[in-house]
Amino acid sequence: MPDRERQVTRAFVALADTLVDDYDVADLLHTLVQQCVELLDVAAAGLTLADERGGLQVLASSTEQARLLELFQLDVDEGPGVECFTTSTPVLVADIAAQAARWPRFAAEAAKDGFASVHAVPLRLRRQTIGALNLFGRSPGELPGDDVALAQGLADTATIGILHERALRQGEILSEQLQTALNSRVIIEQAKGVLAVSGQLGMDAAFTALRAYARRNNLRLGDVARALADRNLTPAVVLASPTVRQPH
């Protein structure tokens, strides 16, 4: 089996491994964005989900820079991710600069951050769209059709996990599950800040340490983050994990 096929297989297996009883939504989404960067010709990936009021929130990103651009996109309410969610269709932009008239504020911010292309695919199941997956490139260029299909397949797999068929059968409220994920994201950002200050790390390295500790100890990402925020867990313990650090 060619290396590419092995990588794709491993990606879907990694996502499937999260679709178990009491799975961690935050970890599922971070797995998705990481797999996209590893499999596709993109520099970064970010994911947004709709909250109970229908507004988009940033839930996962492969880098801090991508997270900030996602937040900016939502703040100004313009950009391919917003349009992708609204139309429930992929929005593929080979050259952001060429779309400056379409999204003037987003295009300017993306250029400032060094991103030249962006491709957004919806998180959807049948007629329900719950978010968007955004893929950022450092240079202009189209995303090959096979890669677009792969990105959509990964997004669809994650969507199934989020909606979780059994939860729907049991009559659980979808907005409640999404709101839990949104609340978890806030705590995770706080925990990243605590680790960044304590260990003099960048935000990406702080998240790597946080996630490594959670996985090594078989704990939920959100639970570890809350323990740090509530001071029931010391940063030194988490930072002792065998992770690769970067200068702050």
Side-chain angles (χ1 to χ4, degrees):
M1 182 185 292
D3 287 344
R4 168 75 167 182
E5 291 183 26
R6 287 195 182 94
Q7 287 180 307
V8 171
T9 299
R10 283 197 296 267
F12 280 101
V13 168
L15 287 175
D17 281 346
T18 65
L19 305 183
V20 296
D21 289 342
D22 200 31
Y23 72 95
D24 189 339
V25 175
D27 194 57
L28 169 73
L29 301 183
H30 284 289
T31 295
L32 173 61
V33 295
Q34 284 188 337
Q35 295 290 355
C36 285
V37 174
E38 291 174 10
L39 288 170
L40 309 173
D41 186 20
V42 297
L47 187 145
T48 57
L49 278 185
D51 60 21
E52 59 186 0
R53 295 181 298 277
L56 287 175
Q57 302 287 341
V58 179
L59 259 291
S61 54
S62 63
T63 67
E64 182 67 8
Q65 193 174 42
R67 185 182 77 88
L68 294 175
L69 182 57
E70 290 278 47
L71 287 172
F72 180 84
Q73 181 177 193
L74 299 185
D75 186 51
V76 299
D77 194 28
E78 70 169 44
V82 174
E83 186 170 310
C84 175
F85 173 70
T86 303
T87 63
S88 298
T89 57
V91 177
L92 310 177
V93 184
D95 187 353
I96 298 174
Q99 300 294 327
R102 185 178 179 184
W103 306 305
R105 290 171 293 181
F106 173 79
E109 189 70 14
K112 187 172 71 174
D113 291 340
F115 293 118
S117 62
V118 60
H119 308 285
V121 296
L123 269 72
R124 67 187 178 198
L125 181 63
R126 301 183 184 92
R127 296 183 179 181
Q128 185 172 15
T129 300
I130 61 172
L133 171 64
N134 301 281
L135 309 169
F136 301 99
R138 292 293 183 188
S139 57
E142 296 182 358
L143 196 64
D146 287 348
D147 282 1
V148 174
L150 176 55
Q152 187 66 70
L154 292 168
D156 289 346
T157 301
T159 302
I160 292 169
I162 295 166
L163 297 177
H164 212 278
E165 187 177 67
R166 187 179 65 228
L168 296 179
R169 284 200 309 265
Q170 293 174 346
E172 295 182 11
I173 302 173
L174 171 62
S175 63
E176 209 172 274
Q177 188 179 30
L178 295 182
Q179 194 60 47
T180 297
L182 292 169
N183 293 340
S184 178
R185 184 264 305 172
V186 173
I187 297 297
I188 288 169
E189 291 303 321
Q190 292 175 355
K192 282 165 57 179
V194 170
L195 292 176
V197 172
S198 181
Q200 295 187 320
L201 301 174
M203 294 295 277
D204 293 338
F207 177 73
T208 297
L210 178 69
R211 195 180 192 205
Y213 179 86
R215 289 199 153 191
R216 193 175 68 255
N217 291 280
N218 197 29
L219 298 170
R220 282 172 168 263
L221 196 60
D223 290 343
V224 175
R226 186 172 296 280
L228 275 169
D230 293 343
R231 299 184 181 180
N232 293 323
L233 177 65
T234 63
V237 171
V238 176
L239 294 174
S241 301
T243 57
V244 178
R245 300 186 181 186
Q246 68 180 42
H248 183 60

